[in-house]
Amino acid sequence: MYVCLCKAVTDKAIKQKVAEGVSSMRELKMCTGVGSQCGKCTCQAQQILHNELVRLSDNNLDLAQPAA
């Protein structure tokens, strides 16, 4: 789904950037342009960024736990 119509940024593109190491809105804005035009997408982009960072963090914790 398109998050930023001005710069044609999708939720998948945001998730891909997080997988590549992006961890802040500033970094996301620099590499995708999201939120740099009209700004209406900023809240949704921030939410996707946050959710993806939490998901990756949870996955890393699962991998670090010893087997029971």
Side-chain angles (χ1 to χ4, degrees), residues 9-42:
V9 178
T10 63
D11 60 328
K12 289 181 182 180
I14 293 172
K15 291 174 183 180
Q16 179 63 40
K17 290 298 178 185
V18 172
E20 294 172 5
V22 168
S23 61
S24 70
M25 274 302 291
R26 179 175 292 168
E27 293 173 338
L28 189 62
K29 183 177 180 178
M30 287 175 57
C31 65
T32 65
V34 69
S36 64
Q37 196 76 26
C38 74
K40 291 182 181 179
C41 61
T42 305

Side-chain angles (χ1 to χ4, degrees), residues 2-10 13 32:
Y2 280 97
V3 175
C4 178
L5 295 176
C6 299
K7 298 291 184 174
V9 178
T10 63
T32 65

